[in-house]
Amino acid sequence: MHKIFISACFMGENVRYDGGHQSLLEHNLFAETIAKWKQEKRLLSGCPECLGGLPVPRDPAEIQQKNQKIITVNNTDVTESFHQGALKALDLCLKHNIKYALLKESSPSCGSHTIYDGTFSNTKISGQGVTAQLLTQHNIQVFSEKNIAELITKIDD
Ligand code: SF4
């Protein structure tokens, strides 16, 4: 049975920088699938930024395009915490032989196709968050809420 590493905020956990969540268990289209996967015990949830030791709530952070450092809106360098969190997420996936991840799009940790551009101007660009990038480098396929339909076809076994 394929297991899936899933962003904790997708499971309704209040781990986002603003203290909220992005629950897919309340999503019009995907709630049923996520609830089924949860019941089947396929899902292992985690928040890379919390795994990296960052608090909730926390200042929003973005990846600076000039040097790939992750800087908060108040100019604190949180690069190390983000990388530690990514490593812990990878460890969890390897320990549980997980080949698929479902991560929140556009996050500097979890984004798999887009991220914010580092200027805190609400501008998105193509790119990956640090956890999505590390998992991909270790042959874990990363999906987001934008292409969850592709993951559903893979899990349909
Ligand atoms: Fe959700 Fe990932 Fe951000 Fe944690 S780091 S709140 S799991 S998007």
Side-chain angles (χ1 to χ4, degrees):
M1 181 178 75
H2 295 301
K3 288 199 165 195
I4 304 163
F5 181 71
I6 185 167
S7 288
C9 56
F10 275 163
M11 297 306 291
E13 296 178 37
N14 291 321
V15 291
R16 271 170 51 105
Y17 71 92
D18 60 2
H21 62 73
Q22 290 279 333
S23 181
L24 287 180
L25 287 160
E26 296 165 12
H27 193 282
N28 285 349
L29 297 176
F30 307 128
E32 209 175 303
T33 299
I34 301 296
K36 177 171 169 281
W37 287 348
K38 185 180 176 191
Q39 195 195 7
E40 292 168 347
K41 301 195 187 311
R42 286 184 193 272
L43 302 177
L44 179 69
S45 73
C47 169
E49 291 170 25
C50 296
L51 289 170
L54 292 169
V56 180
R58 54 189 172 275
D59 285 339
E62 295 188 5
I63 302 173
Q64 305 297 300
Q65 293 311 297
K66 59 177 184 281
N67 55 16
Q68 297 300 297
K69 285 193 177 300
I70 304 159
I71 307 292
T72 72
V73 70
N74 287 316
N75 213 24
T76 301
D77 186 337
V78 287
T79 309
E80 183 57 28
S81 299
F82 272 65
H83 284 284
Q84 284 300 321
L87 283 169
K88 288 191 177 171
L90 175 63
D91 275 354
L92 281 171
C93 290
L94 296 179
K95 199 164 143 193
H96 293 270
N97 197 25
I98 287 174
K99 302 283 185 219
Y100 299 112
L102 179 60
L103 303 182
K104 176 79 185 78
E105 194 58 89
S106 305
S107 147
S109 291
C110 292
S112 51
H113 297 87
T114 58
I115 53 171
Y116 289 95
D117 73 350
T119 64
F120 295 98
S121 59
N122 208 25
T123 307
K124 289 183 189 177
I125 55 173
S126 292
Q128 282 190 307
V130 292
T131 296
Q133 195 171 39
L134 188 65
L135 298 190
T136 303
Q137 285 165 354
H138 287 80
N139 299 318
I140 295 162
Q141 292 185 53
V142 179
F143 299 83
S144 77
E145 70 276 26
K146 305 288 186 199
N147 62 351
I148 187 174
E150 285 178 43
L151 177 59
I152 290 170
T153 62
K154 290 180 185 288
I155 294 303
D156 191 17
D157 64 355

PDB file of all heavy atoms in Angstrom, residues 77-115:
ATOM      1  N   ASP A  77      17.112  35.688   9.085  1.00  0.00           N
ATOM      2  CA  ASP A  77      17.524  34.574   8.228  1.00  0.00           C
ATOM      3  C   ASP A  77      17.100  33.252   8.888  1.00  0.00           C
ATOM      4  O   ASP A  77      17.615  32.898   9.958  1.00  0.00           O
ATOM      5  CB  ASP A  77      19.051  34.619   8.047  1.00  0.00           C
ATOM      6  CG  ASP A  77      19.542  33.578   7.043  1.00  0.00           C
ATOM      7  OD1 ASP A  77      18.840  32.580   6.819  1.00  0.00           O
ATOM      8  OD2 ASP A  77      20.646  33.775   6.497  1.00  0.00           O
ATOM      9  N   VAL A  78      16.161  32.563   8.275  1.00  0.00           N
ATOM     10  CA  VAL A  78      15.661  31.288   8.817  1.00  0.00           C
ATOM     11  C   VAL A  78      16.047  30.116   7.913  1.00  0.00           C
ATOM     12  O   VAL A  78      15.456  29.042   7.979  1.00  0.00           O
ATOM     13  CB  VAL A  78      14.127  31.327   9.037  1.00  0.00           C
ATOM     14  CG1 VAL A  78      13.767  32.185  10.241  1.00  0.00           C
ATOM     15  CG2 VAL A  78      13.399  31.829   7.790  1.00  0.00           C
ATOM     16  N   THR A  79      17.044  30.330   7.089  1.00  0.00           N
ATOM     17  CA  THR A  79      17.451  29.307   6.119  1.00  0.00           C
ATOM     18  C   THR A  79      17.762  27.981   6.808  1.00  0.00           C
ATOM     19  O   THR A  79      17.307  26.912   6.363  1.00  0.00           O
ATOM     20  CB  THR A  79      18.706  29.779   5.337  1.00  0.00           C
ATOM     21  OG1 THR A  79      18.461  31.087   4.828  1.00  0.00           O
ATOM     22  CG2 THR A  79      19.033  28.836   4.202  1.00  0.00           C
ATOM     23  N   GLU A  80      18.533  28.039   7.896  1.00  0.00           N
ATOM     24  CA  GLU A  80      18.954  26.804   8.567  1.00  0.00           C
ATOM     25  C   GLU A  80      17.739  26.017   9.084  1.00  0.00           C
ATOM     26  O   GLU A  80      17.672  24.795   8.928  1.00  0.00           O
ATOM     27  CB  GLU A  80      19.913  27.155   9.719  1.00  0.00           C
ATOM     28  CG  GLU A  80      20.485  25.960  10.459  1.00  0.00           C
ATOM     29  CD  GLU A  80      21.233  24.983   9.548  1.00  0.00           C
ATOM     30  OE1 GLU A  80      21.769  25.414   8.512  1.00  0.00           O
ATOM     31  OE2 GLU A  80      21.248  23.777   9.872  1.00  0.00           O
ATOM     32  N   SER A  81      16.795  26.707   9.694  1.00  0.00           N
ATOM     33  CA  SER A  81      15.595  26.015  10.205  1.00  0.00           C
ATOM     34  C   SER A  81      14.817  25.360   9.068  1.00  0.00           C
ATOM     35  O   SER A  81      14.322  24.234   9.204  1.00  0.00           O
ATOM     36  CB  SER A  81      14.677  27.003  10.931  1.00  0.00           C
ATOM     37  OG  SER A  81      15.339  27.568  12.022  1.00  0.00           O
ATOM     38  N   PHE A  82      14.702  26.038   7.949  1.00  0.00           N
ATOM     39  CA  PHE A  82      13.981  25.467   6.814  1.00  0.00           C
ATOM     40  C   PHE A  82      14.696  24.215   6.295  1.00  0.00           C
ATOM     41  O   PHE A  82      14.058  23.214   5.959  1.00  0.00           O
ATOM     42  CB  PHE A  82      13.841  26.507   5.683  1.00  0.00           C
ATOM     43  CG  PHE A  82      12.610  27.362   5.809  1.00  0.00           C
ATOM     44  CD1 PHE A  82      12.436  28.237   6.877  1.00  0.00           C
ATOM     45  CD2 PHE A  82      11.593  27.295   4.861  1.00  0.00           C
ATOM     46  CE1 PHE A  82      11.300  29.024   6.998  1.00  0.00           C
ATOM     47  CE2 PHE A  82      10.454  28.073   4.969  1.00  0.00           C
ATOM     48  CZ  PHE A  82      10.313  28.937   6.033  1.00  0.00           C
ATOM     49  N   HIS A  83      16.023  24.279   6.240  1.00  0.00           N
ATOM     50  CA  HIS A  83      16.764  23.111   5.742  1.00  0.00           C
ATOM     51  C   HIS A  83      16.707  21.956   6.740  1.00  0.00           C
ATOM     52  O   HIS A  83      16.597  20.795   6.341  1.00  0.00           O
ATOM     53  CB  HIS A  83      18.200  23.497   5.381  1.00  0.00           C
ATOM     54  CG  HIS A  83      18.270  24.245   4.085  1.00  0.00           C
ATOM     55  ND1 HIS A  83      18.153  23.628   2.848  1.00  0.00           N
ATOM     56  CD2 HIS A  83      18.388  25.560   3.813  1.00  0.00           C
ATOM     57  CE1 HIS A  83      18.216  24.530   1.881  1.00  0.00           C
ATOM     58  NE2 HIS A  83      18.360  25.716   2.444  1.00  0.00           N
ATOM     59  N   GLN A  84      16.764  22.263   8.026  1.00  0.00           N
ATOM     60  CA  GLN A  84      16.619  21.205   9.040  1.00  0.00           C
ATOM     61  C   GLN A  84      15.251  20.537   8.918  1.00  0.00           C
ATOM     62  O   GLN A  84      15.122  19.317   9.023  1.00  0.00           O
ATOM     63  CB  GLN A  84      16.784  21.788  10.451  1.00  0.00           C
ATOM     64  CG  GLN A  84      18.221  22.083  10.842  1.00  0.00           C
ATOM     65  CD  GLN A  84      19.093  20.830  10.802  1.00  0.00           C
ATOM     66  OE1 GLN A  84      18.671  19.745  11.176  1.00  0.00           O
ATOM     67  NE2 GLN A  84      20.306  20.976  10.309  1.00  0.00           N
ATOM     68  N   GLY A  85      14.225  21.345   8.726  1.00  0.00           N
ATOM     69  CA  GLY A  85      12.873  20.798   8.571  1.00  0.00           C
ATOM     70  C   GLY A  85      12.756  19.918   7.345  1.00  0.00           C
ATOM     71  O   GLY A  85      12.114  18.858   7.381  1.00  0.00           O
ATOM     72  N   ALA A  86      13.379  20.330   6.259  1.00  0.00           N
ATOM     73  CA  ALA A  86      13.350  19.525   5.036  1.00  0.00           C
ATOM     74  C   ALA A  86      14.032  18.179   5.270  1.00  0.00           C
ATOM     75  O   ALA A  86      13.543  17.127   4.846  1.00  0.00           O
ATOM     76  CB  ALA A  86      14.044  20.286   3.898  1.00  0.00           C
ATOM     77  N   LEU A  87      15.171  18.204   5.974  1.00  0.00           N
ATOM     78  CA  LEU A  87      15.885  16.948   6.253  1.00  0.00           C
ATOM     79  C   LEU A  87      15.045  16.025   7.130  1.00  0.00           C
ATOM     80  O   LEU A  87      15.012  14.806   6.921  1.00  0.00           O
ATOM     81  CB  LEU A  87      17.215  17.256   6.955  1.00  0.00           C
ATOM     82  CG  LEU A  87      18.325  17.774   6.046  1.00  0.00           C
ATOM     83  CD1 LEU A  87      19.498  18.295   6.872  1.00  0.00           C
ATOM     84  CD2 LEU A  87      18.798  16.664   5.101  1.00  0.00           C
ATOM     85  N   LYS A  88      14.353  16.606   8.115  1.00  0.00           N
ATOM     86  CA  LYS A  88      13.511  15.761   8.986  1.00  0.00           C
ATOM     87  C   LYS A  88      12.332  15.174   8.206  1.00  0.00           C
ATOM     88  O   LYS A  88      11.949  14.022   8.424  1.00  0.00           O
ATOM     89  CB  LYS A  88      13.040  16.570  10.187  1.00  0.00           C
ATOM     90  CG  LYS A  88      14.182  16.814  11.153  1.00  0.00           C
ATOM     91  CD  LYS A  88      13.720  17.379  12.471  1.00  0.00           C
ATOM     92  CE  LYS A  88      14.953  17.513  13.380  1.00  0.00           C
ATOM     93  NZ  LYS A  88      14.693  18.242  14.602  1.00  0.00           N
ATOM     94  N   ALA A  89      11.763  15.965   7.298  1.00  0.00           N
ATOM     95  CA  ALA A  89      10.670  15.437   6.464  1.00  0.00           C
ATOM     96  C   ALA A  89      11.193  14.291   5.588  1.00  0.00           C
ATOM     97  O   ALA A  89      10.532  13.253   5.449  1.00  0.00           O
ATOM     98  CB  ALA A  89      10.092  16.556   5.599  1.00  0.00           C
ATOM     99  N   LEU A  90      12.385  14.481   5.021  1.00  0.00           N
ATOM    100  CA  LEU A  90      12.981  13.410   4.204  1.00  0.00           C
ATOM    101  C   LEU A  90      13.217  12.161   5.048  1.00  0.00           C
ATOM    102  O   LEU A  90      12.900  11.041   4.614  1.00  0.00           O
ATOM    103  CB  LEU A  90      14.298  13.886   3.586  1.00  0.00           C
ATOM    104  CG  LEU A  90      15.072  12.820   2.810  1.00  0.00           C
ATOM    105  CD1 LEU A  90      14.286  12.326   1.595  1.00  0.00           C
ATOM    106  CD2 LEU A  90      16.443  13.351   2.360  1.00  0.00           C
ATOM    107  N   ASP A  91      13.755  12.337   6.249  1.00  0.00           N
ATOM    108  CA  ASP A  91      13.995  11.188   7.141  1.00  0.00           C
ATOM    109  C   ASP A  91      12.704  10.404   7.375  1.00  0.00           C
ATOM    110  O   ASP A  91      12.694   9.173   7.336  1.00  0.00           O
ATOM    111  CB  ASP A  91      14.497  11.679   8.509  1.00  0.00           C
ATOM    112  CG  ASP A  91      15.993  11.899   8.499  1.00  0.00           C
ATOM    113  OD1 ASP A  91      16.632  11.567   7.485  1.00  0.00           O
ATOM    114  OD2 ASP A  91      16.513  12.420   9.503  1.00  0.00           O
ATOM    115  N   LEU A  92      11.614  11.139   7.623  1.00  0.00           N
ATOM    116  CA  LEU A  92      10.327  10.472   7.860  1.00  0.00           C
ATOM    117  C   LEU A  92       9.907   9.666   6.632  1.00  0.00           C
ATOM    118  O   LEU A  92       9.462   8.517   6.749  1.00  0.00           O
ATOM    119  CB  LEU A  92       9.242  11.516   8.167  1.00  0.00           C
ATOM    120  CG  LEU A  92       9.219  12.081   9.581  1.00  0.00           C
ATOM    121  CD1 LEU A  92       8.249  13.262   9.670  1.00  0.00           C
ATOM    122  CD2 LEU A  92       8.821  10.996  10.589  1.00  0.00           C
ATOM    123  N   CYS A  93      10.072  10.261   5.462  1.00  0.00           N
ATOM    124  CA  CYS A  93       9.676   9.563   4.222  1.00  0.00           C
ATOM    125  C   CYS A  93      10.515   8.308   4.014  1.00  0.00           C
ATOM    126  O   CYS A  93       9.986   7.244   3.655  1.00  0.00           O
ATOM    127  CB  CYS A  93       9.817  10.496   3.025  1.00  0.00           C
ATOM    128  SG  CYS A  93       8.603  11.819   2.993  1.00  0.00           S
ATOM    129  N   LEU A  94      11.823   8.428   4.250  1.00  0.00           N
ATOM    130  CA  LEU A  94      12.704   7.267   4.036  1.00  0.00           C
ATOM    131  C   LEU A  94      12.383   6.168   5.046  1.00  0.00           C
ATOM    132  O   LEU A  94      12.332   4.984   4.709  1.00  0.00           O
ATOM    133  CB  LEU A  94      14.171   7.690   4.130  1.00  0.00           C
ATOM    134  CG  LEU A  94      14.649   8.681   3.053  1.00  0.00           C
ATOM    135  CD1 LEU A  94      16.116   9.050   3.270  1.00  0.00           C
ATOM    136  CD2 LEU A  94      14.454   8.115   1.644  1.00  0.00           C
ATOM    137  N   LYS A  95      12.160   6.579   6.297  1.00  0.00           N
ATOM    138  CA  LYS A  95      11.868   5.604   7.361  1.00  0.00           C
ATOM    139  C   LYS A  95      10.590   4.817   7.067  1.00  0.00           C
ATOM    140  O   LYS A  95      10.485   3.633   7.374  1.00  0.00           O
ATOM    141  CB  LYS A  95      11.708   6.371   8.667  1.00  0.00           C
ATOM    142  CG  LYS A  95      11.843   5.558   9.910  1.00  0.00           C
ATOM    143  CD  LYS A  95      12.054   6.493  11.088  1.00  0.00           C
ATOM    144  CE  LYS A  95      11.360   5.991  12.310  1.00  0.00           C
ATOM    145  NZ  LYS A  95      11.307   7.030  13.343  1.00  0.00           N
ATOM    146  N   HIS A  96       9.623   5.486   6.461  1.00  0.00           N
ATOM    147  CA  HIS A  96       8.331   4.841   6.192  1.00  0.00           C
ATOM    148  C   HIS A  96       8.198   4.393   4.736  1.00  0.00           C
ATOM    149  O   HIS A  96       7.108   4.030   4.298  1.00  0.00           O
ATOM    150  CB  HIS A  96       7.188   5.793   6.561  1.00  0.00           C
ATOM    151  CG  HIS A  96       7.101   6.060   8.034  1.00  0.00           C
ATOM    152  ND1 HIS A  96       6.347   5.290   8.894  1.00  0.00           N
ATOM    153  CD2 HIS A  96       7.714   6.984   8.809  1.00  0.00           C
ATOM    154  CE1 HIS A  96       6.479   5.741  10.127  1.00  0.00           C
ATOM    155  NE2 HIS A  96       7.300   6.770  10.110  1.00  0.00           N
ATOM    156  N   ASN A  97       9.323   4.405   4.014  1.00  0.00           N
ATOM    157  CA  ASN A  97       9.335   3.962   2.608  1.00  0.00           C
ATOM    158  C   ASN A  97       8.276   4.677   1.765  1.00  0.00           C
ATOM    159  O   ASN A  97       7.553   4.058   0.982  1.00  0.00           O
ATOM    160  CB  ASN A  97       9.142   2.438   2.547  1.00  0.00           C
ATOM    161  CG  ASN A  97       9.557   1.884   1.196  1.00  0.00           C
ATOM    162  OD1 ASN A  97      10.385   2.484   0.499  1.00  0.00           O
ATOM    163  ND2 ASN A  97       8.960   0.779   0.799  1.00  0.00           N
ATOM    164  N   ILE A  98       8.191   5.984   1.950  1.00  0.00           N
ATOM    165  CA  ILE A  98       7.173   6.794   1.268  1.00  0.00           C
ATOM    166  C   ILE A  98       7.715   7.296  -0.063  1.00  0.00           C
ATOM    167  O   ILE A  98       8.823   7.841  -0.129  1.00  0.00           O
ATOM    168  CB  ILE A  98       6.747   7.968   2.185  1.00  0.00           C
ATOM    169  CG1 ILE A  98       5.888   7.421   3.327  1.00  0.00           C
ATOM    170  CG2 ILE A  98       6.015   9.047   1.398  1.00  0.00           C
ATOM    171  CD1 ILE A  98       5.521   8.440   4.376  1.00  0.00           C
ATOM    172  N   LYS A  99       6.923   7.095  -1.112  1.00  0.00           N
ATOM    173  CA  LYS A  99       7.344   7.496  -2.464  1.00  0.00           C
ATOM    174  C   LYS A  99       6.561   8.688  -3.003  1.00  0.00           C
ATOM    175  O   LYS A  99       6.869   9.202  -4.090  1.00  0.00           O
ATOM    176  CB  LYS A  99       7.144   6.325  -3.441  1.00  0.00           C
ATOM    177  CG  LYS A  99       7.891   5.069  -3.044  1.00  0.00           C
ATOM    178  CD  LYS A  99       9.371   5.209  -3.371  1.00  0.00           C
ATOM    179  CE  LYS A  99      10.112   3.923  -3.104  1.00  0.00           C
ATOM    180  NZ  LYS A  99      11.431   4.167  -2.514  1.00  0.00           N
ATOM    181  N   TYR A 100       5.487   9.084  -2.281  1.00  0.00           N
ATOM    182  CA  TYR A 100       4.637  10.188  -2.745  1.00  0.00           C
ATOM    183  C   TYR A 100       4.439  11.193  -1.627  1.00  0.00           C
ATOM    184  O   TYR A 100       4.297  10.823  -0.454  1.00  0.00           O
ATOM    185  CB  TYR A 100       3.264   9.669  -3.176  1.00  0.00           C
ATOM    186  CG  TYR A 100       3.304   8.678  -4.308  1.00  0.00           C
ATOM    187  CD1 TYR A 100       2.964   7.339  -4.098  1.00  0.00           C
ATOM    188  CD2 TYR A 100       3.680   9.070  -5.597  1.00  0.00           C
ATOM    189  CE1 TYR A 100       3.007   6.416  -5.136  1.00  0.00           C
ATOM    190  CE2 TYR A 100       3.725   8.147  -6.638  1.00  0.00           C
ATOM    191  CZ  TYR A 100       3.393   6.839  -6.397  1.00  0.00           C
ATOM    192  OH  TYR A 100       3.438   5.932  -7.425  1.00  0.00           O
ATOM    193  N   ALA A 101       4.393  12.469  -2.034  1.00  0.00           N
ATOM    194  CA  ALA A 101       4.097  13.519  -1.062  1.00  0.00           C
ATOM    195  C   ALA A 101       3.029  14.441  -1.646  1.00  0.00           C
ATOM    196  O   ALA A 101       2.990  14.677  -2.860  1.00  0.00           O
ATOM    197  CB  ALA A 101       5.360  14.312  -0.735  1.00  0.00           C
ATOM    198  N   LEU A 102       2.168  14.940  -0.782  1.00  0.00           N
ATOM    199  CA  LEU A 102       1.141  15.910  -1.181  1.00  0.00           C
ATOM    200  C   LEU A 102       1.367  17.156  -0.329  1.00  0.00           C
ATOM    201  O   LEU A 102       1.101  17.151   0.875  1.00  0.00           O
ATOM    202  CB  LEU A 102      -0.256  15.318  -0.929  1.00  0.00           C
ATOM    203  CG  LEU A 102      -1.440  16.220  -1.275  1.00  0.00           C
ATOM    204  CD1 LEU A 102      -1.438  16.615  -2.754  1.00  0.00           C
ATOM    205  CD2 LEU A 102      -2.761  15.525  -0.913  1.00  0.00           C
ATOM    206  N   LEU A 103       1.938  18.173  -0.965  1.00  0.00           N
ATOM    207  CA  LEU A 103       2.397  19.350  -0.217  1.00  0.00           C
ATOM    208  C   LEU A 103       1.748  20.621  -0.738  1.00  0.00           C
ATOM    209  O   LEU A 103       1.474  20.754  -1.935  1.00  0.00           O
ATOM    210  CB  LEU A 103       3.927  19.472  -0.335  1.00  0.00           C
ATOM    211  CG  LEU A 103       4.763  18.271   0.116  1.00  0.00           C
ATOM    212  CD1 LEU A 103       6.256  18.577  -0.033  1.00  0.00           C
ATOM    213  CD2 LEU A 103       4.450  17.874   1.551  1.00  0.00           C
ATOM    214  N   LYS A 104       1.560  21.563   0.177  1.00  0.00           N
ATOM    215  CA  LYS A 104       0.856  22.817  -0.137  1.00  0.00           C
ATOM    216  C   LYS A 104       1.645  23.671  -1.142  1.00  0.00           C
ATOM    217  O   LYS A 104       2.807  23.995  -0.916  1.00  0.00           O
ATOM    218  CB  LYS A 104       0.666  23.604   1.166  1.00  0.00           C
ATOM    219  CG  LYS A 104       0.035  24.955   1.000  1.00  0.00           C
ATOM    220  CD  LYS A 104      -1.461  24.835   0.828  1.00  0.00           C
ATOM    221  CE  LYS A 104      -2.092  26.186   0.536  1.00  0.00           C
ATOM    222  NZ  LYS A 104      -1.933  26.637  -0.861  1.00  0.00           N
ATOM    223  N   GLU A 105       0.961  24.010  -2.228  1.00  0.00           N
ATOM    224  CA  GLU A 105       1.605  24.808  -3.281  1.00  0.00           C
ATOM    225  C   GLU A 105       1.999  26.211  -2.792  1.00  0.00           C
ATOM    226  O   GLU A 105       1.323  26.791  -1.940  1.00  0.00           O
ATOM    227  CB  GLU A 105       0.644  24.926  -4.481  1.00  0.00           C
ATOM    228  CG  GLU A 105       1.289  25.419  -5.752  1.00  0.00           C
ATOM    229  CD  GLU A 105       2.451  24.533  -6.200  1.00  0.00           C
ATOM    230  OE1 GLU A 105       2.197  23.575  -6.948  1.00  0.00           O
ATOM    231  OE2 GLU A 105       3.597  24.800  -5.788  1.00  0.00           O
ATOM    232  N   SER A 106       3.110  26.695  -3.328  1.00  0.00           N
ATOM    233  CA  SER A 106       3.610  28.079  -3.160  1.00  0.00           C
ATOM    234  C   SER A 106       4.300  28.373  -1.829  1.00  0.00           C
ATOM    235  O   SER A 106       4.811  29.466  -1.640  1.00  0.00           O
ATOM    236  CB  SER A 106       2.503  29.123  -3.376  1.00  0.00           C
ATOM    237  OG  SER A 106       1.893  28.953  -4.628  1.00  0.00           O
ATOM    238  N   SER A 107       4.312  27.413  -0.911  1.00  0.00           N
ATOM    239  CA  SER A 107       5.034  27.618   0.354  1.00  0.00           C
ATOM    240  C   SER A 107       6.546  27.551   0.101  1.00  0.00           C
ATOM    241  O   SER A 107       7.000  26.766  -0.740  1.00  0.00           O
ATOM    242  CB  SER A 107       4.619  26.511   1.336  1.00  0.00           C
ATOM    243  OG  SER A 107       5.681  26.165   2.191  1.00  0.00           O
ATOM    244  N   PRO A 108       7.341  28.335   0.843  1.00  0.00           N
ATOM    245  CA  PRO A 108       8.800  28.248   0.670  1.00  0.00           C
ATOM    246  C   PRO A 108       9.373  26.904   1.121  1.00  0.00           C
ATOM    247  O   PRO A 108      10.511  26.578   0.802  1.00  0.00           O
ATOM    248  CB  PRO A 108       9.329  29.397   1.528  1.00  0.00           C
ATOM    249  CG  PRO A 108       8.241  29.701   2.495  1.00  0.00           C
ATOM    250  CD  PRO A 108       6.951  29.342   1.823  1.00  0.00           C
ATOM    251  N   SER A 109       8.585  26.121   1.850  1.00  0.00           N
ATOM    252  CA  SER A 109       8.981  24.744   2.163  1.00  0.00           C
ATOM    253  C   SER A 109       8.316  23.755   1.213  1.00  0.00           C
ATOM    254  O   SER A 109       8.973  22.891   0.631  1.00  0.00           O
ATOM    255  CB  SER A 109       8.562  24.365   3.599  1.00  0.00           C
ATOM    256  OG  SER A 109       9.299  25.066   4.539  1.00  0.00           O
ATOM    257  N   CYS A 110       7.005  23.868   1.095  1.00  0.00           N
ATOM    258  CA  CYS A 110       6.204  22.809   0.467  1.00  0.00           C
ATOM    259  C   CYS A 110       5.875  23.030  -1.004  1.00  0.00           C
ATOM    260  O   CYS A 110       5.442  22.098  -1.685  1.00  0.00           O
ATOM    261  CB  CYS A 110       4.907  22.631   1.255  1.00  0.00           C
ATOM    262  SG  CYS A 110       5.161  21.959   2.913  1.00  0.00           S
ATOM    263  N   GLY A 111       6.030  24.233  -1.519  1.00  0.00           N
ATOM    264  CA  GLY A 111       5.645  24.507  -2.911  1.00  0.00           C
ATOM    265  C   GLY A 111       6.385  23.607  -3.890  1.00  0.00           C
ATOM    266  O   GLY A 111       7.600  23.434  -3.781  1.00  0.00           O
ATOM    267  N   SER A 112       5.658  23.033  -4.844  1.00  0.00           N
ATOM    268  CA  SER A 112       6.310  22.131  -5.794  1.00  0.00           C
ATOM    269  C   SER A 112       6.388  22.701  -7.206  1.00  0.00           C
ATOM    270  O   SER A 112       7.175  22.226  -8.027  1.00  0.00           O
ATOM    271  CB  SER A 112       5.597  20.779  -5.830  1.00  0.00           C
ATOM    272  OG  SER A 112       4.213  20.946  -6.027  1.00  0.00           O
ATOM    273  N   HIS A 113       5.582  23.698  -7.529  1.00  0.00           N
ATOM    274  CA  HIS A 113       5.634  24.304  -8.862  1.00  0.00           C
ATOM    275  C   HIS A 113       5.828  25.818  -8.799  1.00  0.00           C
ATOM    276  O   HIS A 113       6.400  26.404  -9.697  1.00  0.00           O
ATOM    277  CB  HIS A 113       4.349  24.009  -9.641  1.00  0.00           C
ATOM    278  CG  HIS A 113       4.145  22.554  -9.900  1.00  0.00           C
ATOM    279  ND1 HIS A 113       3.515  21.712  -9.015  1.00  0.00           N
ATOM    280  CD2 HIS A 113       4.534  21.783 -10.944  1.00  0.00           C
ATOM    281  CE1 HIS A 113       3.510  20.490  -9.511  1.00  0.00           C
ATOM    282  NE2 HIS A 113       4.120  20.490 -10.669  1.00  0.00           N
ATOM    283  N   THR A 114       5.296  26.441  -7.749  1.00  0.00           N
ATOM    284  CA  THR A 114       5.441  27.895  -7.613  1.00  0.00           C
ATOM    285  C   THR A 114       5.847  28.251  -6.180  1.00  0.00           C
ATOM    286  O   THR A 114       5.544  27.516  -5.230  1.00  0.00           O
ATOM    287  CB  THR A 114       4.116  28.635  -7.925  1.00  0.00           C
ATOM    288  OG1 THR A 114       3.098  28.157  -7.036  1.00  0.00           O
ATOM    289  CG2 THR A 114       3.693  28.455  -9.365  1.00  0.00           C
ATOM    290  N   ILE A 115       6.544  29.364  -6.073  1.00  0.00           N
ATOM    291  CA  ILE A 115       6.888  29.953  -4.774  1.00  0.00           C
ATOM    292  C   ILE A 115       6.738  31.472  -4.913  1.00  0.00           C
ATOM    293  O   ILE A 115       6.606  31.988  -6.028  1.00  0.00           O
ATOM    294  CB  ILE A 115       8.337  29.625  -4.338  1.00  0.00           C
ATOM    295  CG1 ILE A 115       9.339  29.997  -5.451  1.00  0.00           C
ATOM    296  CG2 ILE A 115       8.490  28.168  -3.949  1.00  0.00           C
ATOM    297  CD1 ILE A 115      10.796  29.905  -5.026  1.00  0.00           C
TER     298      ILE A 115
END
